[in-house]
C-alpha cells in the first residue's frame, strides 16, 4: 500500500503543477469500489474556445455576448453590443455564423428587438425569446418564422420585464422584475393573440425585486421542480410546478421553502450538471456547488488559458462543456470551458 500512496502523492504533485489552485476541486474519496481501493476524483477546467467580435468580423465593441443556449449543434447567442440587440446562430460543427436575427416582418410590419435579450428557451417546435422591455417573442423552429409576442412592451401589460424563462408541460414560466413568476399557456400564444396573450397565473416572489437588472435563470430539474436564481435574495429558489392548475389562486406561493438554497453571494445564472452546479454571481467568479457534499466548494476566477473579468452568465451544454459570457468591456468574450474529470486509484 505504501507504494500506491507514494504514486498518489506524485500524481497529486503533477496535477498541482499543471492546474491552477482554482481549477482543482478537493479530492473526494469513493470508498464503494468492490475491488477494495480508494478512488479519488479531481476536476480541471480550460478555455477550449474563445468567441469575440473578431470571430464574426466585427469590431470588438459591436459584440457583447449575454444569454446563451444550444439546440443540437447550434449555439444561440444574444448579442447586446453596439451593433444592436440581436440573436446570433453559431454552428459549433462548422465553426461559423449561420444567421443573425435582428429584425423580422409580421403582419406587414417590420419588428425588431427593442432591448437586451434576457432569456432564450427552445421548447418543442418553438423558440421563446424574452427581452427586457416586457416582451416574450415566439418563433417556430427550425426556420425562426415569427409566431407571436406575449406582452406589449408596457409594464402594466401581461409581461413585467421577464428576466428568466422555463417551458414545460404546455406552460411558460417567466420571472418578473418584482420577483413574482407569471405563467402563460403555450396554446394561447398564437398569431391571433399577438400582444394579447393573458397571464394564466401569477405566483408570489417573496419580495425580491431586481431593479438593477441582474441576470436571472430558471430551469426544470425534473418534470415539476424548477430552480430559479434570486439575486437580491442571495438564494436559489425551488418552485413546485405541480401546484399550478386552474384552482391555484394568484399570488399564492409555489416555493418549496425547505429546499431553498441560501448563499453567501448574489447568484446570477446557474448551470446544472449531474455532479456539480456552476453559478455566476456578484463576486465575478464561477461558484461551484458539489451535489454529493451539498456544499459550495470553491470559486473559479480563471481557467487554464483564460482569466475572467466579469462572468455574467454561465450555461451548461452538457457535463463536460460550459459556456461563460464575460461581459466586461475589456473582454466581451464568450468562453467555451471544457470540464475535465479525472480519477486516481489508491
Amino acid at each position: 500500500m505504501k507504494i500506491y500512496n507514494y504514486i498518489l502523492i506524485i500524481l497529486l504533485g503533477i496535477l498541482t503543477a499543471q492546474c491552477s489552485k482554482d481549477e482543482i476541486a478537493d479530492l473526494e474519496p469513493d470508498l464503494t469500489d468492490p475491488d477494495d481501493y480508494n478512488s479519488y476524483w479531481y476536476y480541471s477546467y480550460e478555455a477550449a474556445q474563445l468567441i469575440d467580435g473578431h470571430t464574426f468580423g466585427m469590431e470588438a465593441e459591436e459584440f457583447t455576448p449575454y444569454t446563451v443556449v444550444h439546440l443540437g449543434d447550434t449555439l444561440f447567442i444574444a448579442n447586446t453590443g453596439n451593433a444592436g440587440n440581436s440573436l446570433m446562430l453559431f454552428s459549433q460543427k462548422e465553426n461559423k455564423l449561420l444567421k443573425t436575427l435582428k429584425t423580422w416582418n409580421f403582419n406587414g410590419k417590420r419588428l425588431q428587438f427593442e432591448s437586451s435579450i434576457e432569456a432564450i428557451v427552445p421548447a418543442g417546435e418553438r423558440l421563446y425569446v424574452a427581452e427586457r422591455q416586457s416582451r416574450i417573442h415566439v418563433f417556430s423552429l427550425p426556420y425562426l418564422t415569427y409566431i407571436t409576442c406575449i406582452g406589449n412592451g408596457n409594464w402594466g401589460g401581461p409581461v413585467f420585464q421577464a428576466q428568466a424563462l422555463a417551458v414545460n408541460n404546455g406552460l411558460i414560466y417567466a420571472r418578473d422584475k418584482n420577483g413574482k413568476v407569471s405563467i402563460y399557456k403555450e396554446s394561447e400564444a398564437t398569431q391571433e393573440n399577438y400582444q394579447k396573450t393573458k397571464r394564466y397565473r401569477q405566483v408570489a416572489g417573496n419580495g425580491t425585486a431586481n431593479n438593477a437588472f441582474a441576470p436571472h435563470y430558471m430551469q426544470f430539474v425534473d418534470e415539476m421542480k424548477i430552480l430559479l436564481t434570486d439575486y437580491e435574495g442571495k438564494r436559489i429558489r425551488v418552485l413546485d410546478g405541480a401546484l399550478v392548475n386552474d384552482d391555484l389562486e394568484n399570488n399564492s406561493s409555489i416555493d418549496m421553502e425547505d429546499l431553498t438554497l441560501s448563499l453567501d453571494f448574489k447568484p446570477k445564472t446557474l448551470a446544472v450538471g449531474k455532479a456539480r452546479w456552476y453559478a455566476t454571481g456578484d463576486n465575478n467568479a464561477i461558484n461551484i456547488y458539489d451535489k454529493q457534499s451539498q456544499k459550495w466548494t470553491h470559486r473559479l476566477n480563471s481557467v487554464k488559458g483564460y482569466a475572467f473579468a466579469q462572468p455574467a452568465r454561465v450555461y451548461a451544454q452538457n457535463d463536460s462543456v460550459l459556456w461563460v459570457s464575460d461581459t466586461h468591456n475589456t473582454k466581451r468574450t464568450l468562453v467555451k470551458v471544457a470540464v475535465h474529470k479525472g480519477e486516481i486509484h489508491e
Side-chain angles (χ1 to χ4, degrees), residues 155-210:
W155 288 11
V159 175
F160 184 24
Q161 295 185 328
Q163 297 168 340
L165 291 180
V167 182
N168 196 25
N169 290 325
L171 296 178
I172 306 160
Y173 296 76
R175 199 270 187 198
D176 299 329
K177 179 183 177 181
N178 59 6
K180 295 184 178 183
V181 176
S182 291
I183 305 167
Y184 312 88
K185 290 185 175 181
E186 284 194 278
S187 60
E188 295 183 1
T190 63
Q191 290 185 352
E192 295 74 21
N193 280 344
Y194 176 75
Q195 295 191 344
K196 297 178 183 178
T197 303
K198 297 180 180 179
R199 287 186 179 96
Y200 168 53
R201 291 290 182 271
Q202 186 182 52
V203 297
N206 302 322
T208 52
N210 181 24

Side-chain angles (χ1 to χ4, degrees), residues 120-131:
I120 309 168
V121 178
E125 297 180 352
R126 290 182 167 190
L127 184 74
Y128 294 89
V129 182
E131 64 168 293

Side-chain angles (χ1 to χ4, degrees), residues 239-259:
L239 309 182
D240 187 357
L243 298 176
V244 179
N245 54 46
D246 293 346
D247 296 325
L248 180 69
E249 295 184 3
N250 284 325
N251 294 317
S252 299
S253 175
I254 64 170
D255 281 76
M256 305 178 76
E257 297 289 355
D258 56 326
L259 297 181

Side-chain angles (χ1 to χ4, degrees), residues 49-51 55-56 63 65-79 87-100 120 122 127 144 315-318 321-325 334-337:
Q49 184 178 12
L50 303 179
I51 298 176
T55 305
F56 306 118
F63 178 75
Y66 198 52
T67 312
V68 176
V69 301
H70 87 288
L71 181 61
D73 172 63
T74 302
L75 204 63
F76 295 83
I77 307 168
N79 180 18
L87 181 63
M88 306 178 75
L89 279 64
F90 181 77
S91 170
Q92 298 182 67
K93 182 179 180 180
E94 300 179 26
N95 196 37
K96 71 175 185 179
L97 182 66
L98 299 175
K99 180 184 180 70
T100 297
I120 309 168
L127 184 74
L144 296 183
Y315 171 76
Q317 181 169 328
N318 50 50
V321 174
L322 305 174
W323 292 95
V324 181
S325 300
L334 180 61
V335 185
K336 180 180 181 180
V337 177

Side-chain angles (χ1 to χ4, degrees), residues 1-11 344-346:
M1 181 63 70
K2 289 183 178 180
I3 188 170
Y4 290 119
N5 288 336
Y6 179 70
I7 293 173
L8 178 61
I9 291 172
I10 293 176
L11 287 173
I344 300 174
H345 288 169
E346 181 186 82

